[in-house]
Amino acid sequence: MDLLEYQGKQFFSRYALPVSQGFVAHGVPEAREIADRLGYPVVVKAQVHIGGRGKAGGIRLAGDAGEVETAADSILGMDIGGHTVGCVLVEEAARIAAEYYASFTLDRSAGRYLGMLSARGGVDIEAVAESDPGSIARIWVDPVESLGDAAARTWVRAARLDETAADELVEVLLQLYEAFVDGDADLVEINPLILTTEGRVRVLDAKVTLDDNSVFRHPEYRAYDATQPRDEREASAHALGLQYVGLDGTVGVIANGAGLAMSTVDVVAQAGGAAANFLDIGGGADVETMAAALRVINNDPAVKAIFINIFGGIVQGEVVAQGILDALDRVELRAPIVLRLDGTNADQGRAMVAPRLSEMLMMAGSMSGGAARAVEIAGSA
Ligand code: GDP
Ligand code: MN
């Protein structure tokens, strides 16, 4: 899951990283109250799950109460790359002498953590990587050995950051590493990490992606769930406990298992169509889940055909068939279903569905055949 900047900074501050004092406001008066409390100047920052807020006018410095009100008023409700600004972070403004870039991610092919550090921060790092690759100093850290003081110091030197701030920079990088590892993050990125005019190091922006699978170790991460960006379909699917991702096509897809669901999206594309979604109902495929899945897909106005692709492994064909039949009694379908049922006890399952076959429920003999049929129906609808 992706954190908003203010959440990322809260996360960082648990690891003692130097973030500026600040609070979140959902309205103009609240923004002003916070600024009055912090003292001026402050910076008012749009909180959305997308970068480039500065360029879009979503970051504004304010020297007095009037400027805070004007800034908050213009930023709240603003659209930044399709994301509507619902709240702003109001924080003490820092005076910037230099802007750096620092991040840690996982380098899967190397089997190590990858740290990136650059004296060219505050701008789009992808653009820097293109135009001036030599300005990014990379370090690969063995998870077992961890990042040491000496290695961090060499890294700071390689990135040609200000030598007089080296001690503080090393400390911040070690804290960032600790946050990345101990916090089970997939990405921690500070852009910009700044040197203030007083020669101090500060975290001015925070981009953090946490590993969803680590929530059992960090129950407090559940609180971030409420602010995840989701479209309406994804939000309702999520509320029903389904693994759903909205896509742009017209064939609604239901499959059991993430791998099969992904292949199903692929075979729909190979058949010349496009999936309306990815939906994995998991191993169980019970009545409740199937009904919930059908309801979510049925609510999507773009869906013209539904392809249910089930391969019974642990789950048996009869259970799946019963789930679909019961779900059909509960959900009034707008689009026809093409069902492919294979695997354990598939014959028994298909026999149960046979009497109910109609224009609205068709059986396919294979995965590719089912995809082709669903794409054809969607195309002629
Ligand atoms: P982004 O554009 O979404 O990456 O948002 P950032 O948080 O990185 O802010 C963009 C830019 O705004 C930074 O690179 C800074 O130049 C500027 N900025 C942000 N916070 C402050 C601040 O406290 N003081 C000053 N002077 N500039 C700031
Ligand atoms: Mn930034």
Side-chain angles (χ1 to χ4, degrees):
M1 59 193 118
D2 297 325
L3 304 194
L4 290 165
E5 177 196 6
Y6 82 90
Q7 295 167 331
K9 285 180 169 173
Q10 283 168 356
F11 170 76
F12 281 162
S13 62
R14 278 184 236 141
Y15 295 92
L17 282 142
V19 300
S20 306
Q21 266 261 60
F23 300 93
V24 171
H26 292 84
V28 174
E30 197 187 352
R32 185 196 157 143
E33 271 166 42
I34 292 166
D36 284 345
R37 230 181 316 139
L38 292 172
Y40 294 89
V42 294
V43 57
V44 182
K45 311 184 75 177
Q47 297 300 288
V48 280
H49 286 97
I50 192 167
R53 295 165 300 160
K55 270 189 214 146
I59 311 266
R60 286 175 56 166
L61 283 164
D64 57 46
E67 285 179 14
V68 167
E69 289 178 349
T70 313
D73 190 49
S74 80
I75 295 173
L76 286 163
M78 183 185 259
D79 179 282
I80 301 181
H83 298 247
T84 308
V85 180
C87 59
V88 290
L89 171 63
V90 181
E91 68 175 24
E92 288 174 336
R95 286 193 296 180
I96 303 175
E99 296 189 275
Y100 303 145
Y101 171 95
S103 70
F104 283 104
T105 50
L106 179 63
D107 182 341
R108 286 173 204 280
S109 55
R112 281 162 197 251
Y113 299 136
L114 168 62
M116 293 201 275
L117 188 62
S118 175
R120 296 199 47 195
V123 291
D124 181 15
I125 195 68
E126 275 86 22
V128 173
E130 284 264 311
S131 64
D132 188 7
S135 69
I136 301 174
R138 290 178 170 77
I139 188 172
W140 281 267
V141 184
D142 186 318
V144 178
E145 286 169 13
S146 184
L147 178 65
D149 199 276
R153 203 162 287 273
T154 310
W155 189 26
V156 166
R157 208 166 300 131
R160 295 188 293 276
L161 307 188
D162 194 318
E163 272 297 316
T164 61
D167 288 346
E168 230 179 297
L169 285 164
V170 165
E171 195 185 346
V172 163
L173 291 169
L174 294 177
Q175 288 161 340
L176 184 62
Y177 180 81
E178 178 67 15
F180 175 67
V181 175
D182 184 76
D184 286 304
D186 289 332
L187 165 74
V188 291
E189 183 186 76
I190 306 176
N191 188 19
L193 174 69
I194 63 151
L195 202 58
T196 67
T197 49
E198 297 84 23
R200 305 303 305 273
V201 176
R202 283 216 171 287
V203 173
L204 235 59
D205 192 8
K207 187 170 172 195
V208 174
T209 305
L210 298 172
D211 179 354
D212 292 330
N213 295 316
S214 75
V215 174
F216 76 97
R217 266 202 290 268
H218 313 276
E220 70 276 14
Y221 289 178
R222 287 207 184 92
Y224 297 132
D225 205 60
T227 48
Q228 287 312 295
R230 294 193 173 95
D231 70 20
E232 220 175 283
R233 299 174 298 172
E234 289 174 351
S236 63
H238 186 77
L240 293 165
L242 301 169
Q243 298 296 321
Y244 177 102
V245 180
L247 303 169
D248 295 329
T250 55
V251 178
V253 166
I254 298 177
N256 64 332
L260 187 62
M262 277 191 270
S263 327
T264 309
V265 169
D266 285 346
V267 292
V268 166
Q270 274 161 15
N277 63 276
F278 163 99
L279 200 168
D280 166 20
I281 56 169
D286 58 60
V287 183
E288 293 306 323
T289 316
M290 187 57 84
L294 275 176
R295 211 168 275 136
V296 166
I297 298 226
N298 209 38
N299 281 341
D300 182 348
V303 168
K304 302 293 181 239
I306 301 169
F307 182 25
I308 302 182
N309 187 12
I310 303 290
F311 189 91
I314 299 164
V315 63
Q316 314 216 320
E318 306 97 299
V319 178
V320 176
Q322 195 58 51
I324 292 170
L325 293 176
D326 287 359
L328 282 179
D329 291 336
R330 294 198 213 169
V331 182
E332 196 179 328
L333 285 185
R334 287 188 308 99
I337 293 179
V338 177
L339 169 66
R340 177 254 181 166
L341 181 56
D342 225 321
T344 315
N345 293 358
D347 287 340
Q348 289 89 321
R350 284 196 286 258
M352 286 166 66
V353 175
R356 296 277 295 272
L357 291 178
S358 71
E359 299 254 282
M360 291 305 279
L361 178 60
M362 288 157 258
M363 189 70 80
S366 69
M367 178 156 158
S368 55
R373 186 91 185 88
V375 168
E376 187 193 315
I377 295 168
S380 61

